[in-house]
Amino acid sequence: MMSLIPGPDDLFLFHEGSLYQSYRLLGAHFIENEGKAGVRFAVWAPHALEIRVIGDFNNWNGSLHQMSKVSIWGVWSLFIPDVQEGEYYKYEIVNAQGITALKADPYAFYSELKPGTASRVCSLENYQWQDGAWFKQKETQSVYNRPLNIYEVHMGTWKKKQDGEYYTYRELADELIDYVVDMGYTHLELLPLAEHPYDRSWGYQATGYYSVTSRFGTPQDFMYFVDRCHLRGIGVIMDWVPGHFVKDEHGLRQFDGEPLYEYNDPSKAEKPQWGTLMFDFTKPEVSSFLISNALFWMDKFHIDGLRVDAVASLLSLNLGRPDGERITNEHGGDENPEAVEFLKRLNTTIFAHYPHALMMAEDSSNWPKVTTPVHDGGLGFNFKWNMGWMNDMLKYVEIDPYFRRGSHNLLTFSFMYTFNENFVLPLSHDEVVHGKKSLLNKMPGDYWQKFANLRLLLGYMIGHPGKKLLFMGSEFGQFDEWKDLEDLDWEMLDYDSHRSMKHYVRDLNHLYLKEQSLWELDHQPEGFSWIDADNSSQSITTFMRKSSDPDDFLIIICNFTPVVHEQYRIGVPLSGEYSEIFNSDMPAYGGSGQVNMGKLKIEMISWHDQPYSLKLTIPPLAVVVLKPVKTHRKASTTKKERG
């Protein structure tokens, strides 16, 4: 049972930086004191002269409830009897200069609906979870050699009601989860759900790190959403933002009248790129706050993993800074050593508590060993977004197909480093907003070619080693870029091209789930080999994806021009027959129908450094997937021809 006053052991660990469930120490918690039910409030504010709790329960009159300092390092506490679930409150903090400010609780579990800024008293203890089987299943499976295909969603704009109101967590638990399951995704990734004041920040500038946003319902409603995801076999990843926070007056900025959660040095605290403040990783209490928060979403909401936002901005002191404002560390370098140590401690702690968690770094830097364990000299994440692949591919597909031959290296360069880290291939929200255009509208050519190019890009992504992520709307070819105040253009599904695009992505995703060679050896060189990487003149690549079974592999051919190639010869490793199991040019997908029917028989002609070869039709702007039907041992002698 929770004590009336925070215990000395917990206080010591909090101030040491290693109280990793500090949300049990601080914030508002229901307790009993001498038979009287009420709430214990506790807050860290070492520079405050006086702190009072104000709220519904005292008509917002702070003189009735003054807090007492219970640690010499600045934790304050107060028990107030008869406080009820859902009541609003704030801290009235008097700073050392006698100036009073009203602050929301940094550890609040629930917040007032925007534009209100108060915290709400809330218990998280009464939800009855039903997802035990989900967690038992995760214990038996490696995250590395299982399919991982992520649908990235902003809950406020995936779909809205006719009157413009948001769908609630419980309503989304029906409609969104059904959609994700039908489309063949394995995981949902949710843009930040921590409470935030401004819709167009998308959640990336938070004020309530422990408070799931009230825009869509209560914390228990969100628990229900996650529970339903798990019952349907869908994992849940949340964007998490440990690098910076918003400057709104009711939030963390100068919380007790002095820089507290941010660096004391303004030049280091300021994040000019976003107009935010950076967390001060030299303060042990900030580490306790942030690492506890990462665990909190897993402890209380059963989140399966975190996509850690803007890791490059943590590693570098100067990312986004103008040249005239650059700063250095004590050794004269660009690195932020305390942020590096924070990330290592974060990942070590998460995996100690949740060995099967997903910890994904959104990192655009060249920092080495991002997905190497900390004990082996790495940062300790288990996945990293492959920003290089994303940038190269989007640059390539925006080139007119007739000129792509001059940029063939953009297609193939990623294979030089694809096994250096455990990569996720992201086509995320950042690439379809702020004038960058939607994926479909990035594509060159006429209307038909735009859809064909998008089908090709997504097919190439499924074939490329690495886990997958696609932002909502791209699966049906949203023509406009993401409008972050409106829902997706679902009405486009009234048109054949968009409906066919959705059909294509659904079938592509289910192909991915079915074919072990597309994911089992994603992070091992043995899972991939080139057949032909060098056909720049025709902008065609041919490669294999392999599973641990030597007879189980796929051959993937991608044609990045609108030219049809008949009787196109490719090398194959085994004898027997092959069949076309997938073709993005099928009429059902909006294609021209250049498909390969029946069995494709090999010839005893070596080609592309393979002992056998076969001929097939290569459709325009399309991806073709072949699979062996019947294989035999490699022949000892073959007719030699040059490929």
Side-chain angles (χ1 to χ4, degrees), residues 59-232:
N59 293 317
W60 300 87
N61 183 353
S63 65
L64 299 175
H65 293 117
Q66 185 166 317
M67 304 184 81
S68 299
K69 189 178 288 189
V70 296
S71 91
I72 61 173
W73 299 285
V75 171
W76 301 67
S77 181
L78 175 67
F79 172 76
I80 305 178
D82 299 323
V83 176
Q84 303 298 310
E85 179 86 21
E87 290 196 80
Y88 296 94
Y89 72 99
K90 280 188 177 182
Y91 295 119
E92 190 175 59
I93 299 177
V94 182
N95 69 18
Q97 288 74 42
I99 300 172
T100 300
L102 301 182
K103 292 288 188 177
D105 187 349
Y107 282 86
F109 295 153
Y110 192 23
S111 299
E112 184 178 9
L113 182 63
K114 65 171 185 116
T117 59
S119 302
R120 299 187 71 177
V121 176
C122 178
S123 172
L124 302 181
E125 301 305 320
N126 299 321
Y127 185 81
Q128 300 298 313
W129 289 92
Q130 306 294 319
D131 60 354
W134 168 261
F135 284 97
K136 288 182 180 178
Q137 176 186 348
K138 288 208 303 182
E139 293 174 1
T140 66
Q141 299 175 342
S142 167
V143 296
Y144 304 108
N145 56 20
R146 297 294 301 166
L148 183 57
N149 191 8
I150 303 165
Y151 187 56
E152 187 189 30
V153 167
H154 179 258
M155 287 183 122
T157 56
W158 182 73
K159 189 173 286 190
K160 286 189 175 182
K161 299 177 182 178
Q162 288 187 345
D163 60 3
E165 290 297 312
Y166 296 126
Y167 277 78
T168 67
Y169 294 121
R170 288 181 180 266
E171 290 168 337
L172 288 166
D174 295 324
E175 193 158 352
L176 175 56
I177 297 172
D178 283 348
Y179 182 82
V180 169
V181 170
D182 177 66
M183 288 297 293
Y185 293 101
T186 66
H187 288 70
L188 268 169
E189 181 173 310
L190 306 174
L191 268 62
L193 292 175
E195 194 58 77
H196 52 284
Y198 183 48
D199 286 344
R200 301 198 72 180
S201 77
W202 317 330
Y204 288 97
Q205 296 185 8
T207 51
Y209 271 74
Y210 287 83
S211 180
V212 65
T213 181
S214 56
R215 285 167 172 80
F216 316 118
T218 68
Q220 288 74 19
D221 293 335
F222 183 59
M223 292 176 186
Y224 176 82
F225 176 86
V226 176
D227 209 11
R228 285 293 304 273
C229 283
H230 290 168
L231 291 172
R232 300 292 301 278

